[in-house]
Amino acid sequence: MKVNVMSDILKANDLLAKDIETLLGKKGIVAWNIMGSPGAGKTAVLERSIPMLTETHGVAVIEGDLATANDAERIARTGVQSSQINTNGACHLDAAMVRTAMETIDLDTINLLFIENVGNLVCPAGFLLGEKGRIIVSSITEGDDKPEKYPSMFSTADLVLMNKMDLVSSTDFREEYFRKGVKKLRPEADIIAVSARDGSGLREFVDWITEHSRVSP
Ligand code: MG
Ligand code: ZN
């Protein structure tokens, strides 16, 4: 019985996500669902990349968190529109939350929307939000076995960012092992090593976004 209820919730969510995707498509906006553990550096990567992205794109960010507006405030300081969703305990975003947050964003001035999910490597994977694709920020300090431990999330990634590469010499992180773990679950995923702290790899990330955000005619 419980299983049926859950699958109905997911079905309703996916229908609404489809509506969001259609609406964004009409406006020429591409959305990316940013996922990862708490503290992986999702907000930091966005903060540091937005000044490069806004050279060529109109950007807005929806921030999902259990509590506080800290991350939306950090994003707002970069000068782009940001909207905070507080999930009040829910450990993932759903399409209805995103749809509500979108009402606070001027969609006519953007063509790129980042949706930063609640920090969690499990259930965000089950909820479509109207995104074109999914980006996982995985910090190397979390260990190189995260893909194999969280297959449902990593198997849906279009791009995986290995963040905090500036710390690699202080850890036992095996880059090749991590890469193999991702590729086993999702052969077509791209993987980029970055550091939101020293900025390395972020130009490559920005180029990836630009390349993959072209709206097909
Ligand atoms: Mg954050
Ligand atoms: Zn959840």
Side-chain angles (χ1 to χ4, degrees), residues 50 59-63 69 71-85 101 104-105:
I50 282 170
V59 179
V61 180
I62 292 174
E63 283 289 340
D71 288 0
E73 283 162 12
R74 284 167 62 187
I75 295 295
R77 273 181 231 126
T78 69
V80 303
Q81 298 182 74
S82 69
S83 180
Q84 182 76 52
I85 299 171
T104 67
I105 291 172

Side-chain angles (χ1 to χ4, degrees), residues 153-205:
M153 175 146 293
F154 280 87
S155 63
T156 69
D158 297 288
L159 173 65
V160 177
L161 299 179
M162 287 180 288
N163 189 29
K164 308 192 188 178
M165 279 310 273
D166 54 303
L167 300 176
V168 73
S169 61
S170 321
T171 71
D172 296 323
F173 183 80
R174 295 161 297 174
E175 183 173 341
E176 270 324 296
Y177 188 86
F178 181 92
R179 285 180 179 272
K180 271 188 202 141
V182 173
K183 291 289 183 183
K184 206 169 154 190
L185 293 163
R186 181 82 160 170
E188 62 270 46
D190 291 315
I191 304 167
I192 303 175
V194 303
S195 164
R197 194 150 168 247
D198 68 20
S200 61
L202 292 181
R203 178 53 75 178
E204 200 185 331
F205 167 58

Side-chain angles (χ1 to χ4, degrees), residues 89-93 118 120 122-124 127:
C91 46
H92 57 269
L93 293 180
V118 178
N120 177 347
V122 186
C123 48
F127 291 81

Side-chain angles (χ1 to χ4, degrees), residues 39 41-44 63-65 71 74 116-117:
K42 300 180 292 301
T43 312
E63 283 289 340
D65 273 303
D71 288 0
R74 284 167 62 187
E116 184 185 324
N117 222 308

